[in-house]
Amino acid sequence: MKITAITTFLVPPRWLFVRIDTDAGISGWGEPVVEGRAHTVAAAVDELSDYLIGKDPRHIEDHWQVLYRGGFYRGGPILMSALAGIDQALWDIHGKALNQPVHKLLGGPVRDRIRVYSWIGGDRPADTARAAKAAVERGFTAVKMNATEEVQFVDSHDKVTKVLENVQAVRDAVGKDIGLAVDFHGRVHKPMARVLMRELAPFGLMFIEEPVLSEHLEAIPELAALSPAPIALGERLYSRFDFKRVLQTGGVDIIQPDPSHAGGITETRKIAAMAEAYDVALALHCPLGPIALAANLQLDAVCYNAFIQEQSLGIHYNAANDLLDYLVDRAPFAYNEGYVTIPDGPGLGIEINQQYVDERVAEGHRWRNPIWRHADGSVAEW
Ligand SMILES: [Mg+2]
């Protein structure tokens, strides 16, 4: 079997799909995207395709190593996301060729389903209590919310009060048994992170995410000592080589690699195994589209330390199109009792509606995250 063509599709709301075709008539799909840099990743996929055309798609590990090491420069969000989408598509082809789900090729499932959580409250956490209640009514047993809006290095205490009131309102609405995660989103700098971590200690949070940006890893052990809540991070790290520093530094309880940013199924599985050796849990990052989620679920099936899965159904970013719109059959992502069943179909376990993809490519997107500023006019982390 040989690769004959690699085509990208830029589709709303903010995604990029790749389809790899073969001379055997089998095509595989992947989702190589960095939110806000989709065109750049598409260009990187195009450059990487020069090597892949004519190759056997089933030599996945070798292709991964060549695409990672062979270009001299490596790593980072653009190259690792391009590689991620290609890797997902190669696994999809391999599974379809053998008529087996990808997780069977990776050693078989250790679980049949995985717990999922729902985002509530949007970019600027508002009306979170009502949204949490609605999510629980839809069957979710866990939700995640942004903690804050803009926060200066050292900010006024009313911002802290607002966070605590918000979290309390959610707890009051859904009770103490619903998993509640709070994402600092890298918006908070260390001085205020210390304050917030201490004040949030009584709320029994499922985890606190990105209490500071991952480039401030050395601050994590100090922050971890202030709070009983597990600390999660990793959506902006891209390889084993990035994650080894996390695991060596300590203080992180949950890693959150994104299989569309961190080198695909091949690399994310290795990252997960490294974390398992440190007794660190896995909660894959996935605010993306249906191919990304399908790849995530194949990994959840085989990674023992996975305990929950992010997913984007109804997320605040999905105004133009939602998760299920691009699927021929929506059944693989049916949620039940707060869980999603691991898809059992060949390859990634989903079938993409090519005709609908072609229609939506005509619209495309130029999604960018908002640029926020502090009251003094300086740029704020979003
Ligand atoms: Mg996050």
Side-chain angles (χ1 to χ4, degrees), residues 8-91:
T8 51
F9 303 89
L10 193 86
V11 293
R14 56 176 192 162
W15 302 333
L16 181 74
F17 298 164
V18 64
R19 193 190 70 219
I20 299 184
D21 300 326
T22 65
D23 61 0
I26 297 169
S27 296
W29 289 85
E31 198 167 322
V33 67
V34 173
E35 305 90 306
R37 297 288 179 265
H39 292 81
T40 319
V41 180
V45 170
D46 182 53
E47 287 179 335
L48 294 174
S49 70
D50 290 353
Y51 172 79
L52 290 168
I53 302 291
K55 300 287 191 307
D56 186 329
R58 295 163 296 188
H59 294 192
I60 299 172
E61 182 69 30
D62 185 55
H63 295 330
W64 194 98
Q65 296 293 348
V66 170
L67 297 179
Y68 180 78
R69 298 178 192 276
F72 190 71
Y73 297 99
R74 70 212 47 201
I78 303 300
L79 294 177
M80 295 307 283
S81 298
L83 178 48
I86 289 169
D87 180 85
Q88 293 166 3
L90 295 178
W91 278 108

Side-chain angles (χ1 to χ4, degrees), residues 45 77 120 201 312 354:
V45 170
I120 53 166
S312 76
Q354 180 72 62

Side-chain angles (χ1 to χ4, degrees), residues 117 119 144 146 183-186 207 209-210 232-236 256 285 287 310 317:
Y117 67 82
W119 261 102
K144 186 169 90 179
N146 273 309
D183 191 352
F184 286 18
H185 217 254
F207 58 84
E209 179 168 323
E210 279 195 326
L233 58 78
E235 68 188 66
R236 287 183 262 189
Q256 301 173 298
H285 180 256
E310 182 174 30
Y317 307 116

